[in-house]
Amino acid sequence: MKTENVSRTVLAAGVGAVLAATALLYVPEFAGQGPPPPPGPAERAVIAAHAGAQAALPDLAALIADREKWLRAHPEDEASWAELGAAYTERGSRLGDVRDYPRAERALRRSLAERPAARGNPDAQLGLGALAGARGDWRTAKEWGERVRKADPSRWPVYPVLIDAYNGLGEYQAAQKAMESLERLHAGAMVRGRAAETYRDRGWREDADAAALDAAALAETDTEKAAALARLGDLAWERGEPAEALGRYGAALRLVRDHGPSLAGRARTLAALGRTEEAVRGWRAALERLPLPEYLLEAGELYESLGRDGEARALYGRLRTSGRPGAEATLGLLDADHGDPAAAAVRMRAEWARGHRSVQVADALGWALHRSGASKEALGYAKRATEEGLRSAPFMYHRGEIERALDQPGPARRHLEEALRINPEFSPLRARRASEALAALGEPSDGLPAEVRPERSAGTGNSSVATASGPARG
């Protein structure tokens, strides 16, 4: 689930890039009459958008109100309709509120009605691509993005939309090329944050952290800096350093008190540090602010690990009825572990057939197949999830359990140990199960040659053998 959390932060940055493409410049009426007054909330949102940064949510709301008021008097203004649609999409993505998405689509379609795609209007087309990405419709996002890129390859806001789309479809080489194009055309905190995500997906942890630190240093507003610090917290969490992650999330929350990804990250790390009552309170605050599907599942599993089964079931129920688009992988994992695994396998097969072949979907499909009794078929998907480059403790755990079910003790032991080495507290439920599975496997046979017998790290009990996909850079 943590993989999706990082991706949510990146997706919001991509939507902000689209708002940058559509934002109108405000011109003071009294130019030449002395220094202009400080920018108001709507103007601040436009300034942030032109930098490719996230606007503060109150400023974004002010921009939406400003464009709505303008359009009531000027309904023929296609540029303002496109800007309004992009702003709705960004707000919905950052608040986890799907009610903004139909509003965004109506505004963007109205923009195209006023100025059809055949006559240009790349802003509305790009806005529809970002909206499709926010809804998890990666194929449509790709189609809109590639259409705009073909017309104008130098238009930098198209590349965050394409990066998200290609990643969602599992087209990682195309995503890397889009990232390279973005770096040639634009700079700043958003681009360095994107670079951090790309390095992370390739398993280059030190490079990812360095790029994320650059993003934090380049951030010009509290909102932008909080997003960069949350990304740093995510990276620290994923490599098994909860205390460092907690500090980074805390720094983000000192800048933006209700920053949703940082509230969730703080709750997660508190649980890993054994501060479970604080973690429970933290999850309540996070879900009140940003009830994303992956957060509902993660909080539910914490409650289940504490024996609070009623509260866990309530959160699982909220997830099933959330109606959140793009949550298929999370729902697949939910049903595989806490519902109907056969239904989860059907759901994830359908997602795969749609062309959504990211490592997240591969992992969820493999796990659902395994849990429904098709472990042999599941292994191919688990291998795809773990060999693409991303170093994910949950993915490694799933692969190890599938191999254990197939009576492959050597690979199973290696991948279960790798899961715990990447992050010993990767899940309040599954980290314990990984340790139990390793204990059940026992030690390797004494008959193994010394050169292939895993070494034991002092004090950890974990193997130091590299993962099958090779050691991570850095």
Side-chain angles (χ1 to χ4, degrees), residues 2 78 115 196 214 320 398 418:
K2 191 64 202 79
E78 81 280 354
R115 184 178 181 86
D214 289 344
R320 289 190 175 95
H398 287 159
E418 178 69 3

Side-chain angles (χ1 to χ4, degrees), residues 8 11-12 15 57 60-61 64 84-106 130-131 133-136 260-261 286-296 318 321-327:
R8 293 285 180 188
L11 174 61
V15 174
L57 285 169
L60 185 61
I64 289 172
L84 179 61
Y88 278 140
T89 301
E90 181 175 356
R91 186 174 69 178
S93 175
R94 288 171 58 189
L95 292 177
D97 189 349
V98 298
R99 294 174 297 179
D100 267 332
Y101 295 159
R103 299 177 185 127
E105 182 161 10
R106 287 192 296 270
L131 176 61
R135 286 171 159 168
L287 293 175
E288 182 177 349
R289 170 62 180 77
L290 187 60
L292 294 181
E294 57 267 31
Y295 295 167
L296 290 166
R318 281 182 64 186
T321 60
S322 65
R324 176 79 186 190

Side-chain angles (χ1 to χ4, degrees), residues 175-198:
Q176 174 64 28
K177 290 180 181 178
M179 182 67 231
E180 292 167 1
S181 296
L182 177 62
E183 289 181 303
R184 286 195 301 269
L185 294 167
H186 198 56
M190 183 275 290
V191 176
R192 296 310 294 156
R194 283 279 176 174
E197 177 73 3
T198 298

Side-chain angles (χ1 to χ4, degrees), residues 9 54 94 215-216 219-234 248-263:
T9 303
Q54 291 184 6
R94 288 171 58 189
E220 296 183 357
T221 67
D222 287 351
T223 300
E224 191 176 18
K225 195 173 189 70
L229 289 167
R231 182 180 290 107
L232 283 163
D234 292 339
R248 289 172 167 180
Y249 294 131
L253 290 167
R254 284 191 289 275
L255 293 170
V256 180
R257 185 175 57 183
D258 61 346
H259 190 249
S262 296
L263 288 170

